[in-house]
Amino acid sequence: MGGQTGAGMMHGHGADGTGHDEVTMPGLRGLNATPEESAELATMFRNFPTFTREVTNLPDGIRTVTRSSDPEVMDVLISHVTGMIARVEAGDDPKVFIQSPTLDIFFARPEAIDTQIEVTDAGIIVTQTSDDPQMVAALHTHAAEVSDMAARGMQAVHERMMHQGG
């Protein structure tokens, strides 16, 4: 097209030039993520207004309580949280394209995190602690990132990636 733009052209805004696709959400795929994991992420991003979340920053970690007002979304949330924590414990990074670099330390040093998960009527309660100050800082940062995504959905991800130069 020699530099021309037409009505059918899309503004390339994604890292791979494909732009944003809020329908198929290609950024939720990963080099090591299953289609089911990507589908869970899509369900959560599409339904983020159903989430409520409380975070307590502890001196040695975090305590989070996350809930969805939609029972089906809540089931997806529980599956996602337990699945990702199992991946962290195994050091098995899904390498999701939009994944925050904050997670790198979790997958590199899973032995430095102690995790407790409890599912109650209040929601899924996750307590993660560490003796490593660098890990505690990463836990605090990641909890804030997740809270932002729960509050604002994909807009939070887009803004974080733009600030990181992604």
Side-chain angles (χ1 to χ4, degrees), residues 41-130:
L41 288 167
T43 296
M44 290 187 299
F45 276 112
R46 286 187 184 108
N47 294 282
F48 77 89
T50 71
F51 289 118
T52 56
R53 186 165 158 85
E54 300 167 26
V55 175
T56 304
N57 283 340
L58 307 171
D60 61 347
I62 57 164
R63 180 182 185 274
T64 65
V65 181
T66 310
R67 173 137 190 79
S68 172
S69 59
D70 181 320
E72 291 178 16
V73 176
M74 187 67 199
D75 289 344
V76 170
L77 172 68
I78 292 167
S79 177
H80 171 74
V81 170
T82 58
M84 287 302 112
I85 288 173
R87 274 185 170 271
V88 166
E89 289 173 349
D92 185 19
D93 188 343
K95 299 180 180 159
V96 172
F97 300 129
I98 65 164
Q99 180 172 304
S100 169
T102 304
L103 297 177
D104 293 350
I105 190 174
F106 300 161
F107 291 108
R109 300 190 4 237
E111 71 285 348
I113 306 170
D114 180 48
T115 300
Q116 304 297 321
I117 304 171
E118 183 180 6
V119 178
T120 71
D121 289 341
I124 184 163
I125 303 169
V126 177
T127 304
Q128 293 181 295
T129 57
S130 179

Side-chain angles (χ1 to χ4, degrees), residues 26-49:
L28 300 181
R29 297 183 194 125
L31 299 176
N32 185 32
T34 68
E36 294 79 14
E37 289 168 330
S38 297
E40 285 178 349
L41 288 167
T43 296
M44 290 187 299
F45 276 112
R46 286 187 184 108
N47 294 282
F48 77 89

